[in-house]
Amino acid sequence: MALLKYEQIAEDLRTRIAGGEFGPGDLLPSGRDLAEQWSVSRATVVKAYDVLRSDGLVVARQGAGFTVVETPVARPAGGRRAGSSRVAGGAPYQRLGVPDWTVPPAHIADALELGPGDEALRRARLVLLEDGSPHSLVTAWFPPSIAKVAPRLFAKGPISEGTTHYVRRETGRFPVEGVDVTKVRLATGEEARLLGVERPAAVAVVVHLAYDEDRRPLVCEEGVLPSDVFEETETYPMG
């Protein structure tokens, strides 16, 4: 399906940011300049910037226009429903270690449809609360079919355009279905250390699995949250 004009503008800006033309804090082209360049109305450019703002890629500066975000945000695992913005529930985070190839736990390997001993790419982050204390430990696992053709997943730093957009650009694959499973267990020693809780400590574990249109797994994320920060609210019709 062909992209609408505002989507084309947003994707062009996303690619230019990803390519390093605009770095964190840099001012992006004005609405007037983009409207002239693309032969569109200012309203179309505003829609393009709204897409990037919802993705957490740009911020509006009073009297200055739009700039690339200086502090990327990340979301806890799960809740990636269609129409939800990347900044919804997003928070500053700390990248843990360097992305690496390793054999995932059995339940992750099963979710990614990997065989015994098969490795996956692991990327871990610690999502933070407003006061800088830990909110959740999130580990993302990418199968070889994704990781081997998306080299920036191996970088320690953030992917400014977001991993979903980056993976789609590199592979042509994107999520159309998500499955979230939440369970409760005791924290491991390493989880307790990173989350700053004393053992024994109960944690909620959210496993998020994203599938493409052929129902092939794209990524499996496991989020571990201390019991005192886990809360799930759902509103639904009755009667």
Side-chain angles (χ1 to χ4, degrees), residues 20-32:
E21 182 177 344
F22 302 106
D26 284 353
L27 184 66
L28 292 163
S30 69
R32 181 173 61 185

Side-chain angles (χ1 to χ4, degrees), residues 97-131:
V98 177
D100 62 344
W101 285 108
T102 189
V103 176
H107 66 287
I108 301 294
D110 288 344
L112 293 177
E113 300 176 3
L114 301 178
D118 287 348
E119 294 183 328
L121 176 64
R122 175 177 58 185
R123 289 170 58 92
R125 63 183 183 270
L126 192 64
V127 181
L128 306 174
L129 294 169
E130 290 184 2
D131 63 4

Side-chain angles (χ1 to χ4, degrees), residues 7-209:
E7 293 174 320
Q8 294 178 37
I9 298 170
E11 188 60 25
D12 178 71
L13 289 171
R14 197 190 311 277
T15 301
R16 294 166 72 182
I17 292 170
E21 182 177 344
F22 302 106
D26 284 353
L27 184 66
L28 292 163
S30 69
R32 181 173 61 185
D33 289 345
L34 286 174
E36 292 179 356
Q37 176 187 341
W38 289 84
S39 301
V40 297
S41 69
R42 293 281 293 276
T44 298
V45 175
V46 169
K47 288 183 68 176
Y49 272 125
D50 282 344
V51 169
L52 298 180
R53 183 160 52 179
S54 293
D55 281 346
L57 190 54
V58 306
V59 292
R61 298 296 186 196
Q62 186 67 32
F66 288 90
T67 61
V68 181
V69 296
E70 297 187 63
T71 305
V73 299
R75 287 190 287 179
R80 311 299 174 91
R81 291 173 175 79
S84 65
S85 71
R86 187 177 165 210
V87 295
Y93 66 96
Q94 174 186 345
R95 180 67 63 192
L96 299 176
V98 177
D100 62 344
W101 285 108
T102 189
V103 176
H107 66 287
I108 301 294
D110 288 344
L112 293 177
E113 300 176 3
L114 301 178
D118 287 348
E119 294 183 328
L121 176 64
R122 175 177 58 185
R123 289 170 58 92
R125 63 183 183 270
L126 192 64
V127 181
L128 306 174
L129 294 169
E130 290 184 2
D131 63 4
S133 61
H135 171 274
S136 59
L137 170 63
V138 181
T139 305
W141 299 87
F142 294 87
S145 61
I146 295 294
K148 288 183 177 180
V149 293
R152 285 178 58 206
L153 292 176
F154 291 87
K156 181 179 179 180
I159 297 175
S160 58
E161 62 187 299
T163 55
T164 298
H165 287 289
Y166 171 63
V167 167
R168 179 173 186 167
R169 191 156 54 80
E170 293 296 313
T171 70
R173 297 168 59 186
F174 55 92
V176 298
E177 181 183 24
V179 177
D180 295 348
V181 177
T182 303
K183 297 183 178 181
V184 177
R185 60 168 170 78
L186 294 177
T188 67
E190 180 66 4
E191 290 168 347
R193 183 184 70 81
L194 290 170
L195 295 172
V197 297
E198 294 186 7
R199 299 178 69 191
V203 291
V205 181
V206 181
V207 176
H208 165 76
L209 186 62

